[in-house]
Amino acid sequence: MRGAEPVERTPQTQAEADEQAQGLALYHYEGCPFCGKVRRAIARLNIEIVLHDINRDPGARQRLIAGGGRRTVPCLRIDDGDTTTWLYESSDIVAYLEKRFAAS
Ligand SMILES: N[C@@H](CCC(=O)N[C@@H](CS)C(=O)NCC(=O)O)C(=O)O
């Protein structure tokens, strides 16, 4: 089982992780347990990801529905510069983030 201590990086690898995370955004809302699971993973992985609360920001909700096809949260928007992917399912989001940002 993984500990709850945040991942530690050198300044350079932290800068690289922060740059990679710039293409990501999490659509969520407070009080959603599945969203909380993803937010805790983000905190543990020590990465900065823009959060869009769809209950507080109707525009974010519209963008989620228009882009991802449904209003279910959490949903991670992955923008790699060429394509945009909308990843639903908290476990899939956590697995994706761990694969991409876990310390090796
Ligand atoms: N299996 C999903 C469940 C997600 C889920 O049920 N989200 C709720 C909020 S806690 C939701 O967005 N419900 C509204 C909807 O699906 O339209 C996950 O693990 O992410």
Side-chain angles (χ1 to χ4, degrees):
M1 176 144 170
R2 293 170 187 277
E5 289 298 311
V7 169
E8 289 187 26
R9 299 183 179 88
T10 65
Q12 179 168 348
T13 55
Q14 185 65 49
E16 288 166 4
D18 290 341
E19 191 177 334
Q20 278 194 45
Q22 280 180 10
L24 305 177
L26 182 72
Y27 290 72
H28 77 125
Y29 64 74
E30 296 295 329
C32 158
F34 304 100
C35 302
K37 179 170 91 175
V38 175
R39 290 194 303 267
R40 285 192 296 280
I42 290 171
R44 187 172 50 72
L45 291 169
N46 194 13
I47 45 177
E48 296 278 339
I49 292 184
V50 174
L51 302 180
H52 297 293
D53 186 322
I54 66 162
N55 279 353
R56 296 183 179 192
D57 180 353
R61 185 186 312 119
Q62 287 308 317
R63 290 195 299 278
L64 171 62
I65 295 168
R70 51 197 171 103
R71 59 146 287 163
T72 306
V73 289
C75 180
L76 184 70
R77 192 189 74 219
I78 305 165
D79 191 346
D80 73 3
D82 293 325
T83 56
T84 301
T85 304
W86 298 79
L87 181 62
Y88 290 92
E89 287 300 323
S90 55
S91 295
D92 292 345
I93 296 169
V94 171
Y96 171 87
L97 293 174
E98 295 215 340
K99 188 173 175 193
R100 194 155 169 195
F101 294 105
S104 53

